[in-house]
């Protein structure tokens, strides 16, 4: 789980993004499958900052053939 000060900062940042007309309700769920980091879902949007996703992106990058000039 996020420490209280980080949770507060995240909530404040999300509030700035969605604006003052709506209220942020933050619910933490622990998902060991993401290996670390966090995934934020709101308004049918997903911000995936998990280690699992970054590792998959790096793997795809490393497996893609290098274009030759």
């Amino acid at each position: 789980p996020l420490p209280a000060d980080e949770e507060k900062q995240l909530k404040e940042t999300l509030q700035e993004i969605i604006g003052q007309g709506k209220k942020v309700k933050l619910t933490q769920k622990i998902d060991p499958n993401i290996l670390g980091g966090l995934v934020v879902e709101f308004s049918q949007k997903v911000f995936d900052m998990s280690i699992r996703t970054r590792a998959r992106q790096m793997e795809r990058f490393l497996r893609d053939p290098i274009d030759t000039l």
Side-chain angles (χ1 to χ4, degrees), residues 40-54:
V40 177
E41 299 177 15
F42 70 95
S43 298
Q44 299 180 357
K45 296 180 184 178
V46 177
F47 295 97
D48 188 340
M49 298 162 277
S50 67
I51 292 174
R52 181 179 79 184
T53 296
R54 290 183 184 198

Side-chain angles (χ1 to χ4, degrees), residues 14-68:
L14 293 173
Q15 187 65 60
E16 289 175 15
I17 291 170
I18 66 168
Q20 296 302 322
K22 298 178 181 177
K23 185 172 180 169
V24 172
K25 178 184 174 190
L26 187 64
T27 304
Q28 290 192 51
K29 296 179 184 175
I30 308 302
D31 182 356
N33 292 319
I34 70 168
L35 305 176
L38 62 116
V39 178
V40 177
E41 299 177 15
F42 70 95
S43 298
Q44 299 180 357
K45 296 180 184 178
V46 177
F47 295 97
D48 188 340
M49 298 162 277
S50 67
I51 292 174
R52 181 179 79 184
T53 296
R54 290 183 184 198
R56 285 181 177 167
Q57 290 170 339
M58 181 61 73
E59 181 182 17
R60 278 194 302 268
F61 174 76
L62 292 172
R63 289 180 184 266
D64 282 346
I66 298 174
D67 293 330
T68 57

